[in-house]
Amino acid sequence: MHIALMMNKELTRVAPDTDFASLLAIHAGTDTRHTYVVDAAGRLVGVITNLDMMGKMIPSYLTSTLASSISDGAELIQKRFAENAHLTASGVMQRELVTLQPEDTIIEANVRLHEGRFNALPIVDAQGVLVGDIGRKDILKHIAKDICGLPGML
Amino acid sequence: MFWVATGIFLTCYVAIVSEKIHKTKVALAGAALTLLLKVLTQEDALHNVDLGVDWNVIFLLISMMIMVNIMSRTGVFQYVAIKAAKVGRGNPFSIMAIFAVITAVASALLDNVTTVLLLAPVTLLIADELEIDPVPFLITEVLASNIGGTATLIGDPPNIMIASKAGLNFMDFIVHVAPIIIVIMIVWMLFWKLVFGKRLTVSEKLKMRILAMNERDMIKDPALLKKSGLIMGATILGFAFHGLLHYEPATVALAGAATMLLVSGDDPHHALVEVEWPTIFFFIGLFIIIGGTVKAGLISFMSQQMISLTAPTADNTLVLSMVMVWFSGIASAIVDNIPFVATMNPLLVELAGKIFGSTGVAGLQHPNMLPVWWALSLGACLGGNGTAIGASANVIVIGMAEKAGKPISFIRYLKYGVPVTLLTLAISTCYVYVRYYLLA
């Protein structure tokens, strides 16, 4: 069973020069798991996760012990926002990408998600053009509906 | 065999210094070659006290790492740091000085890397709150951890190795090394006051942010803190008396680690997985490589060279001691001080055998030999401050700073490291000269 059949095609794509404020608004305002950074030809060049955005807004050096010493973190976060204002998507995105191909199977996709602890993985065609993404929910939905025959219960 | 052992030794040294391949891989490959080419037998490598792995060092390191892993989960170290920043009323230089003292004391009792790993995040947060550059604070902590670690047998790996080889105990280091480390800390802090006292100023409003921090919620597990604190205290007491009780330091540490594992109630997996296994295996590999060079005669040859250069006699080792402080200091700033001391230890044992006629306690702890060991300890530990790669704590903090978006360049580190290393080595030289030669 190829993942092309169940992949999510409604993706959030942004250009590499998208500014930081817009990125924050996109991640805060939509249900998107990832923002995909693509070039003019639609080829995938990077991925920005909610975690990446959080990493830019909340100091990554904080430990759980230390976090409980901060009574009000709003000022720290505002400072981060000001410091990051100059960043663009290409400065925030992850560049080392794990991608899937449309003809990969759901078993393969699930193993790759599991091994790298990813929430979702992008799917690119032979030219590197982003065609969709897939997460555990998509696979589960497919398993329940098409393999186990439970369409009525969904 | 001489050339085979020398070849392995030199190749490994170059590979470790070049940092192209991880040092643990180099050390283990060198050890494997030493055994495969029959420079050492496996029996020598694993069971011969003079040639093989020093299990006293290995078990002391592992046990201390286990204890610190369990204790650090209680949140106590970071609690103390925040509390101290509040005691400093949010004044940046006071915080810098208090953190230096805390780091030095903690590093004397725990390993340096753990100490800086726990304090660096607190420092980054405080600098963030005070809106100042964290880099001078972070480098100050690195320097303090290497200086503080010099004070005790368990403070820094070179001391653990020296103590094990020369048969020195915990109290020997307290009596002979700790006093000068206290002097060094005081002089260094006065020097730092001149450099940073006026430069570090922040507004009252920013200081209030530090005073508004809430340290009370930071102790995550008060019951574990009480238990592990007691065991740590008992272990340190055990170190203080290990000589009298005729226990090796590793035995004391192992007892402490085992007790802490028993009472912590947690799965041992966490405490064990966080042991720095790459460092432990680096030591194991290194001991075998050096054992090969001892058996093949390279170390004996080198000790002969050192004798002809410094002309020590049974009555006078002054030149040797003076050279040892600076040679160890400079070498340890450039190469990792662990392989350096691993090489110097058997060399000094050979040397003691040649000038005092014994490689047992009579030679190794001869009144004229002891200052040489102290010189090696002071030089190797303090020299680690010289460059960004001189000691593990330096590398760790620079890595953390980079991750937090505050990279520290090699040159910027040197501006702090070199003056402090020169200052501390100069004080050490005077100390060794005055205490062991002028007044002896």
Side-chain angles (χ1 to χ4, degrees):
Chain A
M1 194 65 76
H2 294 162
I3 53 175
L5 293 173
M6 74 218 62
M7 71 186 179
N8 166 37
K9 291 177 189 162
E10 286 171 24
L11 306 173
T12 310
R13 294 176 169 85
V14 296
D17 59 358
T18 309
D19 63 82
F20 189 77
S22 306
L23 288 174
L24 187 59
I26 290 170
H27 278 264
T30 62
D31 284 338
T32 184
R33 299 182 277 226
H34 296 344
T35 304
Y36 294 104
V37 186
V38 293
D39 65 11
R43 281 185 299 254
L44 182 66
V45 291
V47 174
I48 300 170
T49 65
N50 288 332
L51 204 67
D52 296 325
M53 292 305 292
M54 294 292 267
K56 290 286 173 197
M57 297 305 298
I58 294 175
S60 57
Y61 56 76
L62 288 175
T63 60
S64 59
T65 308
L66 206 46
S68 42
S69 73
I70 303 172
S71 21
D72 175 19
E75 278 184 346
L76 270 182
I77 294 171
Q78 277 161 359
K79 208 175 110 196
R80 293 269 137 162
F81 183 60
E83 278 172 8
N84 291 327
H86 70 281
L87 287 176
T88 59
S90 59
V92 181
M93 69 189 189
Q94 298 179 30
R95 289 162 192 272
E96 285 179 21
L97 304 176
V98 176
T99 57
L100 294 167
Q101 310 278 315
E103 57 275 12
D104 288 337
T105 65
I106 53 166
I107 304 280
E108 222 174 320
N110 185 50
V111 169
R112 299 284 287 279
L113 284 166
H114 182 72
E115 280 179 351
R117 296 186 179 183
F118 299 109
N119 286 321
L121 280 172
I123 302 165
V124 296
D125 67 13
Q127 282 72 45
V129 173
L130 180 69
V131 293
D133 76 359
I134 190 163
R136 287 191 190 83
K137 188 89 174 168
D138 304 312
I139 299 176
L140 265 181
K141 237 189 233 169
H142 174 75
I143 289 174
K145 212 166 110 188
D146 302 326
I147 301 181
C148 302
L150 305 170
M153 295 174 75
L154 289 175
Chain B
M1 273 309 141
F2 179 86
W3 291 111
V4 176
T6 307
I8 296 172
F9 172 74
L10 288 178
T11 312
C12 291
Y13 238 99
V14 171
I16 290 169
V17 174
S18 78
E19 295 186 330
K20 289 266 191 298
I21 312 171
H22 192 285
K23 61 183 183 179
T24 304
K25 292 184 188 176
V26 175
L28 288 178
L33 269 180
T34 304
L35 297 177
L36 282 171
L37 297 174
K38 299 196 184 307
V39 179
L40 274 191
T41 63
Q42 188 175 304
E43 178 67 21
D44 284 339
L46 301 184
H47 302 295
N48 186 319
V49 182
D50 299 318
L51 296 175
V53 177
D54 190 335
W55 298 108
N56 195 28
V57 172
I58 301 293
F59 275 91
L60 180 51
L61 285 169
I62 295 176
S63 305
M64 290 307 289
M65 286 175 191
I66 292 174
M67 276 195 277
V68 172
N69 290 345
I70 294 174
M71 273 199 90
S72 62
R73 280 214 316 276
T74 63
V76 63
F77 300 113
Q78 299 189 334
Y79 166 84
V80 170
I82 296 284
K83 188 94 189 156
K86 291 176 90 168
V87 169
R89 315 289 304 163
N91 174 4
F93 183 75
S94 305
I95 294 177
M96 183 185 256
I98 295 172
F99 273 31
V101 173
I102 291 177
T103 311
V105 173
S107 296
L109 302 174
L110 314 170
D111 81 289
N112 300 354
V113 170
T114 311
T115 309
V116 294
L117 266 178
L118 291 167
L119 270 176
V122 190
T123 312
L124 285 164
L125 174 62
I126 284 175
D128 244 345
E129 295 276 27
L130 291 176
E131 298 187 2
I132 48 176
D133 183 11
V135 171
F137 290 80
L138 290 172
I139 299 181
T140 299
E141 280 156 31
V142 167
L143 299 171
S145 89
N146 290 323
I147 293 173
T150 315
T152 66
L153 185 158
I154 52 168
D156 213 359
N159 283 356
I160 298 179
M161 292 194 284
I162 292 168
S164 190
K165 202 71 178 180
L168 300 165
N169 66 41
F170 189 84
M171 288 314 285
D172 290 331
F173 279 83
I174 294 292
V175 171
H176 292 273
V177 187
I180 192 58
I181 293 304
I182 294 171
V183 173
I184 284 176
M185 278 301 290
I186 294 169
V187 176
W188 172 44
M189 281 297 112
L190 292 174
F191 172 47
W192 239 219
K193 173 89 183 157
L194 285 176
V195 179
F196 290 108
K198 290 220 172 80
R199 254 197 256 173
L200 295 172
T201 49
V202 297
S203 68
E204 287 303 317
K205 187 179 152 242
L206 293 175
K207 287 182 187 170
M208 288 311 290
R209 284 192 191 167
I210 301 297
L211 296 175
M213 290 176 95
N214 171 20
E215 75 279 12
R216 283 182 305 278
D217 298 336
M218 292 176 72
I219 301 289
K220 299 282 180 211
D221 190 341
L224 177 63
L225 173 61
K226 217 180 263 174
K227 286 188 272 188
S228 57
L230 268 175
I231 297 165
M232 187 56 110
T235 309
I236 290 168
L237 217 64
F239 283 131
F241 294 108
H242 80 95
L244 277 176
L245 301 169
H246 302 290
Y247 288 125
E248 288 290 341
T251 309
V252 176
L254 186 62
T259 318
M260 220 183 262
L261 277 170
L262 278 172
V263 303
S264 79
D266 278 356
D267 190 312
H269 184 80
H270 301 291
L272 288 175
V273 100
E274 282 171 39
V275 168
E276 291 162 56
W277 293 110
T279 307
I280 301 296
F281 279 98
F282 175 57
F283 271 99
I284 292 176
L286 206 56
F287 280 131
I288 296 175
I289 298 170
I290 303 291
T293 63
V294 173
K295 195 173 181 186
L298 172 66
I299 296 292
S300 171
F301 170 75
M302 281 161 63
S303 76
Q304 194 57 50
Q305 298 301 309
M306 181 154 262
I307 290 173
S308 26
L309 271 174
T310 59
T313 63
D315 302 320
N316 191 349
T317 52
L318 173 64
V319 180
L320 177 62
S321 291
M322 297 293 104
V323 168
M324 191 57 68
V325 174
W326 289 91
F327 177 57
S328 312
I330 294 165
S332 298
I334 300 165
V335 303
D336 195 333
N337 56 13
I338 294 168
F340 174 76
V341 172
T343 317
M344 287 310 288
N345 269 344
L347 194 152
L348 289 182
V349 171
E350 289 270 351
L351 188 143
K354 282 171 184 152
I355 54 178
F356 301 111
S358 158
T359 55
V361 174
L364 297 181
Q365 297 189 15
H366 187 282
N368 282 329
M369 188 61 202
L370 284 174
V372 183
W373 292 116
W374 305 135
L376 172 63
S377 159
L378 288 164
C381 296
L382 299 173
N385 270 334
T387 66
I389 52 160
S392 314
N394 317 14
V395 179
I396 295 284
V397 169
I398 289 165
M400 283 182 85
E402 191 167 355
K403 234 162 114 192
K406 309 280 178 194
I408 304 172
S409 71
F410 197 85
I411 300 291
R412 186 166 187 199
Y413 182 89
L414 282 183
K415 286 183 188 160
Y416 295 77
V418 170
V420 173
T421 307
L422 292 177
L423 174 75
T424 54
L425 289 180
I427 298 174
S428 304
T429 311
C430 296
Y431 169 71
V432 173
Y433 173 66
V434 171
R435 177 161 178 182
Y436 300 103
Y437 296 98
L438 194 66
L439 301 178

